[in-house]
Amino acid sequence: MSLQSVREFFASRQLDLPIIELEVSTATVALAAEAHGVEPGRIAKTLSFRLGDGRAILLVASGDARIDNRKFKDAFGKGRMMDADDVVRMTGHPVGGVCPFGLAEPLPVYLDASLRKYDEVLPAAGAVHSAVRITPEQIAAVTAGQWVDVCQQA
């Protein structure tokens, strides 16, 4: 179902982005990088946070980037990663397949500057064995994503 919501999201925006479906799991950055034959930084991981004011947000970052707690707090205030049940409920995607496309609930999307060093990245596409090849600028455009700088580079 989640994979279908991503297909519908792309179709509704007339995006010709083929969804790559593999026989192996791509549920972690390491598994995805190996399966797609790319460096881990090209895997665009989508992280789900609950902020101190109760808002939920998605943050898409390079697979090799780590949250910088000070930068995150400066940008968003206090926050914590959502638990798996909340992630599934709010995004409609399973953990390991979370992406900023075809969401069950509208959520603000933020894109970390770590993505900008790549011409193309591979976020999941709603399932733990799926991905799509897309530019960081396309992700921002189709999700109305806002650029932030909240990660440390590997």
Side-chain angles (χ1 to χ4, degrees), residues 50-90:
R50 175 78 62 193
L51 302 181
D53 62 8
R55 289 181 300 140
I57 65 164
L58 296 181
L59 174 68
V60 184
S62 173
D64 62 358
R66 300 283 176 251
I67 299 295
D68 180 308
N69 291 331
R70 174 167 287 307
K71 287 181 177 181
F72 187 93
K73 190 173 180 182
D74 289 348
F76 299 114
K78 289 186 179 181
R80 59 178 171 75
M81 291 193 71
M82 281 194 264
D83 66 38
D85 290 340
D86 282 343
V87 170
V88 172
R89 183 177 52 77
M90 297 187 86

mmCIF file of all heavy atoms in Angstrom, residues 50-90:
data_model
loop_
_atom_site.group_PDB
_atom_site.id
_atom_site.type_symbol
_atom_site.label_atom_id
_atom_site.label_comp_id
_atom_site.label_asym_id
_atom_site.label_seq_id
_atom_site.Cartn_x
_atom_site.Cartn_y
_atom_site.Cartn_z
ATOM 1 N N ARG A 50 9.651 14.445 16.422
ATOM 2 C CA ARG A 50 8.595 15.159 17.144
ATOM 3 C C ARG A 50 9.303 16.300 17.858
ATOM 4 O O ARG A 50 10.225 16.078 18.643
ATOM 5 C CB ARG A 50 7.913 14.235 18.150
ATOM 6 C CG ARG A 50 6.902 14.905 19.024
ATOM 7 C CD ARG A 50 5.594 15.158 18.381
ATOM 8 N NE ARG A 50 4.940 13.929 17.981
ATOM 9 C CZ ARG A 50 3.891 13.904 17.175
ATOM 10 N NH1 ARG A 50 3.381 15.030 16.718
ATOM 11 N NH2 ARG A 50 3.334 12.766 16.839
ATOM 12 N N LEU A 51 8.889 17.526 17.558
ATOM 13 C CA LEU A 51 9.518 18.691 18.165
ATOM 14 C C LEU A 51 8.912 18.991 19.523
ATOM 15 O O LEU A 51 7.819 18.512 19.848
ATOM 16 C CB LEU A 51 9.388 19.902 17.236
ATOM 17 C CG LEU A 51 9.996 19.723 15.842
ATOM 18 C CD1 LEU A 51 9.834 20.998 15.028
ATOM 19 C CD2 LEU A 51 11.448 19.295 15.922
ATOM 20 N N GLY A 52 9.597 19.807 20.303
ATOM 21 C CA GLY A 52 9.149 20.151 21.642
ATOM 22 C C GLY A 52 7.774 20.786 21.679
ATOM 23 O O GLY A 52 7.048 20.653 22.656
ATOM 24 N N ASP A 53 7.390 21.475 20.593
ATOM 25 C CA ASP A 53 6.067 22.116 20.551
ATOM 26 C C ASP A 53 4.984 21.166 20.046
ATOM 27 O O ASP A 53 3.841 21.568 19.831
ATOM 28 C CB ASP A 53 6.112 23.382 19.692
ATOM 29 C CG ASP A 53 6.475 23.120 18.242
ATOM 30 O OD1 ASP A 53 6.556 21.940 17.836
ATOM 31 O OD2 ASP A 53 6.685 24.100 17.493
ATOM 32 N N GLY A 54 5.343 19.891 19.846
ATOM 33 C CA GLY A 54 4.368 18.890 19.430
ATOM 34 C C GLY A 54 4.313 18.630 17.931
ATOM 35 O O GLY A 54 3.721 17.644 17.503
ATOM 36 N N ARG A 55 4.907 19.504 17.129
ATOM 37 C CA ARG A 55 4.882 19.299 15.680
ATOM 38 C C ARG A 55 5.731 18.099 15.290
ATOM 39 O O ARG A 55 6.745 17.821 15.916
ATOM 40 C CB ARG A 55 5.433 20.528 14.937
ATOM 41 C CG ARG A 55 4.554 21.732 14.978
ATOM 42 C CD ARG A 55 5.157 22.894 14.197
ATOM 43 N NE ARG A 55 6.465 23.259 14.761
ATOM 44 C CZ ARG A 55 7.527 23.593 14.041
ATOM 45 N NH1 ARG A 55 7.475 23.642 12.735
ATOM 46 N NH2 ARG A 55 8.670 23.906 14.639
ATOM 47 N N ALA A 56 5.301 17.427 14.229
ATOM 48 C CA ALA A 56 6.080 16.337 13.641
ATOM 49 C C ALA A 56 6.671 16.856 12.342
ATOM 50 O O ALA A 56 6.013 17.588 11.598
ATOM 51 C CB ALA A 56 5.184 15.140 13.375
ATOM 52 N N ILE A 57 7.929 16.482 12.077
ATOM 53 C CA ILE A 57 8.603 16.887 10.842
ATOM 54 C C ILE A 57 9.378 15.708 10.267
ATOM 55 O O ILE A 57 9.696 14.760 10.982
ATOM 56 C CB ILE A 57 9.574 18.070 11.056
ATOM 57 C CG1 ILE A 57 10.742 17.663 11.971
ATOM 58 C CG2 ILE A 57 8.850 19.302 11.580
ATOM 59 C CD1 ILE A 57 11.936 18.608 11.934
ATOM 60 N N LEU A 58 9.681 15.808 8.990
ATOM 61 C CA LEU A 58 10.578 14.866 8.344
ATOM 62 C C LEU A 58 11.838 15.613 7.954
ATOM 63 O O LEU A 58 11.775 16.748 7.484
ATOM 64 C CB LEU A 58 9.946 14.264 7.085
ATOM 65 C CG LEU A 58 8.700 13.417 7.286
ATOM 66 C CD1 LEU A 58 8.217 12.873 5.940
ATOM 67 C CD2 LEU A 58 8.949 12.285 8.256
ATOM 68 N N LEU A 59 12.969 14.964 8.133
ATOM 69 C CA LEU A 59 14.256 15.516 7.742
ATOM 70 C C LEU A 59 14.927 14.518 6.808
ATOM 71 O O LEU A 59 15.139 13.368 7.179
ATOM 72 C CB LEU A 59 15.140 15.763 8.968
ATOM 73 C CG LEU A 59 16.569 16.205 8.672
ATOM 74 C CD1 LEU A 59 16.584 17.605 8.060
ATOM 75 C CD2 LEU A 59 17.408 16.164 9.938
ATOM 76 N N VAL A 60 15.228 14.966 5.601
ATOM 77 C CA VAL A 60 15.925 14.121 4.630
ATOM 78 C C VAL A 60 17.382 14.556 4.637
ATOM 79 O O VAL A 60 17.682 15.738 4.463
ATOM 80 C CB VAL A 60 15.321 14.257 3.222
ATOM 81 C CG1 VAL A 60 15.995 13.288 2.257
ATOM 82 C CG2 VAL A 60 13.810 14.025 3.250
ATOM 83 N N ALA A 61 18.276 13.599 4.851
ATOM 84 C CA ALA A 61 19.708 13.903 4.953
ATOM 85 C C ALA A 61 20.508 12.860 4.204
ATOM 86 O O ALA A 61 20.034 11.749 3.931
ATOM 87 C CB ALA A 61 20.131 13.936 6.422
ATOM 88 N N SER A 62 21.734 13.197 3.913
ATOM 89 C CA SER A 62 22.663 12.266 3.293
ATOM 90 C C SER A 62 22.863 11.070 4.221
ATOM 91 O O SER A 62 22.908 11.225 5.449
ATOM 92 C CB SER A 62 23.993 12.992 3.055
ATOM 93 O OG SER A 62 24.968 12.105 2.613
ATOM 94 N N GLY A 63 23.001 9.895 3.633
ATOM 95 C CA GLY A 63 23.132 8.678 4.417
ATOM 96 C C GLY A 63 24.310 8.638 5.362
ATOM 97 O O GLY A 63 24.283 7.940 6.364
ATOM 98 N N ASP A 64 25.358 9.405 5.068
ATOM 99 C CA ASP A 64 26.534 9.397 5.937
ATOM 100 C C ASP A 64 26.574 10.586 6.897
ATOM 101 O O ASP A 64 27.526 10.746 7.637
ATOM 102 C CB ASP A 64 27.828 9.320 5.114
ATOM 103 C CG ASP A 64 28.015 10.517 4.195
ATOM 104 O OD1 ASP A 64 27.146 11.405 4.133
ATOM 105 O OD2 ASP A 64 29.064 10.549 3.510
ATOM 106 N N ALA A 65 25.535 11.400 6.896
ATOM 107 C CA ALA A 65 25.483 12.565 7.793
ATOM 108 C C ALA A 65 24.881 12.166 9.142
ATOM 109 O O ALA A 65 24.086 11.238 9.234
ATOM 110 C CB ALA A 65 24.656 13.674 7.161
ATOM 111 N N ARG A 66 25.277 12.871 10.171
ATOM 112 C CA ARG A 66 24.750 12.654 11.524
ATOM 113 C C ARG A 66 24.157 13.964 12.029
ATOM 114 O O ARG A 66 24.673 15.046 11.732
ATOM 115 C CB ARG A 66 25.867 12.218 12.483
ATOM 116 C CG ARG A 66 26.536 10.928 12.079
ATOM 117 C CD ARG A 66 25.663 9.732 12.417
ATOM 118 N NE ARG A 66 26.251 8.490 11.963
ATOM 119 C CZ ARG A 66 25.787 7.769 10.939
ATOM 120 N NH1 ARG A 66 24.748 8.173 10.267
ATOM 121 N NH2 ARG A 66 26.362 6.645 10.592
ATOM 122 N N ILE A 67 23.106 13.843 12.818
ATOM 123 C CA ILE A 67 22.486 15.040 13.393
ATOM 124 C C ILE A 67 23.489 15.742 14.300
ATOM 125 O O ILE A 67 24.135 15.099 15.134
ATOM 126 C CB ILE A 67 21.224 14.675 14.212
ATOM 127 C CG1 ILE A 67 20.168 14.011 13.327
ATOM 128 C CG2 ILE A 67 20.650 15.898 14.924
ATOM 129 C CD1 ILE A 67 19.590 14.890 12.263
ATOM 130 N N ASP A 68 23.612 17.034 14.128
ATOM 131 C CA ASP A 68 24.406 17.876 15.018
ATOM 132 C C ASP A 68 23.406 18.474 16.009
ATOM 133 O O ASP A 68 22.562 19.296 15.629
ATOM 134 C CB ASP A 68 25.112 18.967 14.205
ATOM 135 C CG ASP A 68 25.959 19.880 15.065
ATOM 136 O OD1 ASP A 68 25.438 20.424 16.067
ATOM 137 O OD2 ASP A 68 27.132 20.086 14.712
ATOM 138 N N ASN A 69 23.478 18.038 17.258
ATOM 139 C CA ASN A 69 22.465 18.429 18.238
ATOM 140 C C ASN A 69 22.332 19.936 18.395
ATOM 141 O O ASN A 69 21.213 20.456 18.507
ATOM 142 C CB ASN A 69 22.751 17.780 19.596
ATOM 143 C CG ASN A 69 22.524 16.286 19.561
ATOM 144 O OD1 ASN A 69 21.702 15.782 18.799
ATOM 145 N ND2 ASN A 69 23.273 15.558 20.371
ATOM 146 N N ARG A 70 23.436 20.662 18.385
ATOM 147 C CA ARG A 70 23.363 22.117 18.528
ATOM 148 C C ARG A 70 22.682 22.760 17.319
ATOM 149 O O ARG A 70 21.804 23.608 17.469
ATOM 150 C CB ARG A 70 24.745 22.732 18.723
ATOM 151 C CG ARG A 70 24.652 24.270 18.730
ATOM 152 C CD ARG A 70 25.827 25.016 19.194
ATOM 153 N NE ARG A 70 26.189 25.060 20.572
ATOM 154 C CZ ARG A 70 25.423 25.404 21.609
ATOM 155 N NH1 ARG A 70 24.169 25.659 21.439
ATOM 156 N NH2 ARG A 70 25.910 25.456 22.816
ATOM 157 N N LYS A 71 23.076 22.350 16.130
ATOM 158 C CA LYS A 71 22.456 22.893 14.916
ATOM 159 C C LYS A 71 20.963 22.571 14.878
ATOM 160 O O LYS A 71 20.141 23.405 14.491
ATOM 161 C CB LYS A 71 23.123 22.326 13.656
ATOM 162 C CG LYS A 71 24.501 22.866 13.359
ATOM 163 C CD LYS A 71 24.986 22.212 12.069
ATOM 164 C CE LYS A 71 26.320 22.699 11.600
ATOM 165 N NZ LYS A 71 26.708 22.037 10.327
ATOM 166 N N PHE A 72 20.621 21.332 15.258
ATOM 167 C CA PHE A 72 19.217 20.931 15.261
ATOM 168 C C PHE A 72 18.422 21.808 16.226
ATOM 169 O O PHE A 72 17.360 22.324 15.886
ATOM 170 C CB PHE A 72 19.080 19.454 15.645
ATOM 171 C CG PHE A 72 17.675 18.929 15.518
ATOM 172 C CD1 PHE A 72 17.264 18.313 14.356
ATOM 173 C CD2 PHE A 72 16.762 19.058 16.569
ATOM 174 C CE1 PHE A 72 15.957 17.827 14.225
ATOM 175 C CE2 PHE A 72 15.473 18.590 16.451
ATOM 176 C CZ PHE A 72 15.066 17.972 15.278
ATOM 177 N N LYS A 73 18.964 21.983 17.433
ATOM 178 C CA LYS A 73 18.263 22.786 18.438
ATOM 179 C C LYS A 73 18.133 24.240 17.985
ATOM 180 O O LYS A 73 17.083 24.860 18.183
ATOM 181 C CB LYS A 73 18.992 22.702 19.781
ATOM 182 C CG LYS A 73 18.211 23.310 20.927
ATOM 183 C CD LYS A 73 18.880 23.049 22.249
ATOM 184 C CE LYS A 73 18.062 23.669 23.363
ATOM 185 N NZ LYS A 73 18.694 23.486 24.660
ATOM 186 N N ASP A 74 19.179 24.774 17.349
ATOM 187 C CA ASP A 74 19.108 26.144 16.841
ATOM 188 C C ASP A 74 18.035 26.294 15.771
ATOM 189 O O ASP A 74 17.359 27.313 15.695
ATOM 190 C CB ASP A 74 20.462 26.588 16.274
ATOM 191 C CG ASP A 74 21.506 26.812 17.354
ATOM 192 O OD1 ASP A 74 21.151 26.858 18.557
ATOM 193 O OD2 ASP A 74 22.695 26.934 16.995
ATOM 194 N N ALA A 75 17.865 25.276 14.944
ATOM 195 C CA ALA A 75 16.887 25.331 13.848
ATOM 196 C C ALA A 75 15.465 25.032 14.298
ATOM 197 O O ALA A 75 14.513 25.674 13.832
ATOM 198 C CB ALA A 75 17.296 24.359 12.746
ATOM 199 N N PHE A 76 15.306 24.062 15.194
ATOM 200 C CA PHE A 76 13.971 23.564 15.512
ATOM 201 C C PHE A 76 13.595 23.621 16.986
ATOM 202 O O PHE A 76 12.455 23.341 17.338
ATOM 203 C CB PHE A 76 13.840 22.095 15.073
ATOM 204 C CG PHE A 76 14.029 21.874 13.606
ATOM 205 C CD1 PHE A 76 15.121 21.158 13.135
ATOM 206 C CD2 PHE A 76 13.117 22.371 12.689
ATOM 207 C CE1 PHE A 76 15.301 20.930 11.785
ATOM 208 C CE2 PHE A 76 13.289 22.151 11.329
ATOM 209 C CZ PHE A 76 14.382 21.434 10.876
ATOM 210 N N GLY A 77 14.533 23.928 17.857
ATOM 211 C CA GLY A 77 14.274 23.778 19.281
ATOM 212 C C GLY A 77 14.481 22.322 19.665
ATOM 213 O O GLY A 77 15.114 21.561 18.935
ATOM 214 N N LYS A 78 13.935 21.943 20.787
ATOM 215 C CA LYS A 78 14.093 20.557 21.223
ATOM 216 C C LYS A 78 13.297 19.631 20.319
ATOM 217 O O LYS A 78 12.250 19.996 19.792
ATOM 218 C CB LYS A 78 13.622 20.392 22.668
ATOM 219 C CG LYS A 78 14.548 21.034 23.669
ATOM 220 C CD LYS A 78 14.124 20.736 25.087
ATOM 221 C CE LYS A 78 15.110 21.381 26.049
ATOM 222 N NZ LYS A 78 14.757 21.101 27.437
ATOM 223 N N GLY A 79 13.819 18.418 20.188
ATOM 224 C CA GLY A 79 13.128 17.417 19.386
ATOM 225 C C GLY A 79 13.671 16.041 19.693
ATOM 226 O O GLY A 79 14.753 15.893 20.245
ATOM 227 N N ARG A 80 12.889 15.046 19.335
ATOM 228 C CA ARG A 80 13.325 13.662 19.507
ATOM 229 C C ARG A 80 12.785 12.855 18.335
ATOM 230 O O ARG A 80 11.776 13.217 17.727
ATOM 231 C CB ARG A 80 12.838 13.082 20.817
ATOM 232 C CG ARG A 80 11.339 13.070 20.976
ATOM 233 C CD ARG A 80 10.873 12.426 22.279
ATOM 234 N NE ARG A 80 9.457 12.626 22.492
ATOM 235 C CZ ARG A 80 8.496 11.986 21.841
ATOM 236 N NH1 ARG A 80 8.790 11.093 20.938
ATOM 237 N NH2 ARG A 80 7.226 12.237 22.086
ATOM 238 N N MET A 81 13.492 11.783 18.048
ATOM 239 C CA MET A 81 13.030 10.924 16.964
ATOM 240 C C MET A 81 11.730 10.244 17.388
ATOM 241 O O MET A 81 11.556 9.887 18.551
ATOM 242 C CB MET A 81 14.094 9.899 16.606
ATOM 243 C CG MET A 81 15.303 10.561 15.956
ATOM 244 S SD MET A 81 16.430 9.415 15.174
ATOM 245 C CE MET A 81 15.460 8.907 13.774
ATOM 246 N N MET A 82 10.829 10.096 16.442
ATOM 247 C CA MET A 82 9.545 9.452 16.717
ATOM 248 C C MET A 82 9.732 7.950 16.862
ATOM 249 O O MET A 82 10.645 7.377 16.266
ATOM 250 C CB MET A 82 8.566 9.702 15.573
ATOM 251 C CG MET A 82 7.924 11.064 15.610
ATOM 252 S SD MET A 82 6.505 11.106 14.497
ATOM 253 C CE MET A 82 7.267 11.814 13.059
ATOM 254 N N ASP A 83 8.851 7.327 17.630
ATOM 255 C CA ASP A 83 8.900 5.876 17.738
ATOM 256 C C ASP A 83 8.295 5.264 16.470
ATOM 257 O O ASP A 83 7.616 5.935 15.694
ATOM 258 C CB ASP A 83 8.225 5.370 19.012
ATOM 259 C CG ASP A 83 6.726 5.602 19.063
ATOM 260 O OD1 ASP A 83 6.048 5.474 18.022
ATOM 261 O OD2 ASP A 83 6.219 5.890 20.149
ATOM 262 N N ALA A 84 8.567 3.997 16.270
ATOM 263 C CA ALA A 84 8.189 3.320 15.026
ATOM 264 C C ALA A 84 6.687 3.374 14.753
ATOM 265 O O ALA A 84 6.269 3.572 13.613
ATOM 266 C CB ALA A 84 8.671 1.873 15.054
ATOM 267 N N ASP A 85 5.869 3.214 15.788
ATOM 268 C CA ASP A 85 4.415 3.241 15.583
ATOM 269 C C ASP A 85 3.951 4.596 15.060
ATOM 270 O O ASP A 85 3.116 4.669 14.160
ATOM 271 C CB ASP A 85 3.679 2.908 16.888
ATOM 272 C CG ASP A 85 3.841 1.446 17.289
ATOM 273 O OD1 ASP A 85 4.171 0.616 16.416
ATOM 274 O OD2 ASP A 85 3.649 1.149 18.480
ATOM 275 N N ASP A 86 4.480 5.681 15.628
ATOM 276 C CA ASP A 86 4.118 7.020 15.161
ATOM 277 C C ASP A 86 4.607 7.263 13.738
ATOM 278 O O ASP A 86 3.918 7.882 12.929
ATOM 279 C CB ASP A 86 4.687 8.103 16.084
ATOM 280 C CG ASP A 86 3.888 8.263 17.367
ATOM 281 O OD1 ASP A 86 2.729 7.784 17.426
ATOM 282 O OD2 ASP A 86 4.425 8.860 18.322
ATOM 283 N N VAL A 87 5.801 6.776 13.435
ATOM 284 C CA VAL A 87 6.348 6.941 12.082
ATOM 285 C C VAL A 87 5.417 6.284 11.067
ATOM 286 O O VAL A 87 5.030 6.900 10.070
ATOM 287 C CB VAL A 87 7.773 6.354 11.972
ATOM 288 C CG1 VAL A 87 8.233 6.314 10.523
ATOM 289 C CG2 VAL A 87 8.749 7.155 12.818
ATOM 290 N N VAL A 88 5.031 5.047 11.319
ATOM 291 C CA VAL A 88 4.163 4.320 10.394
ATOM 292 C C VAL A 88 2.805 5.011 10.287
ATOM 293 O O VAL A 88 2.279 5.199 9.181
ATOM 294 C CB VAL A 88 4.012 2.846 10.827
ATOM 295 C CG1 VAL A 88 2.957 2.133 9.989
ATOM 296 C CG2 VAL A 88 5.345 2.126 10.728
ATOM 297 N N ARG A 89 2.244 5.407 11.403
ATOM 298 C CA ARG A 89 0.926 6.042 11.401
ATOM 299 C C ARG A 89 0.942 7.362 10.631
ATOM 300 O O ARG A 89 0.056 7.642 9.824
ATOM 301 C CB ARG A 89 0.453 6.281 12.838
ATOM 302 C CG ARG A 89 -0.950 6.890 12.936
ATOM 303 C CD ARG A 89 -1.396 7.043 14.386
ATOM 304 N NE ARG A 89 -0.447 7.743 15.222
ATOM 305 C CZ ARG A 89 -0.267 9.065 15.231
ATOM 306 N NH1 ARG A 89 -0.948 9.833 14.422
ATOM 307 N NH2 ARG A 89 0.621 9.620 16.046
ATOM 308 N N MET A 90 1.953 8.182 10.844
ATOM 309 C CA MET A 90 1.976 9.520 10.254
ATOM 310 C C MET A 90 2.468 9.530 8.803
ATOM 311 O O MET A 90 2.026 10.355 8.012
ATOM 312 C CB MET A 90 2.808 10.457 11.107
ATOM 313 C CG MET A 90 2.202 10.638 12.496
ATOM 314 S SD MET A 90 3.044 11.878 13.452
ATOM 315 C CE MET A 90 2.161 13.323 12.871
#
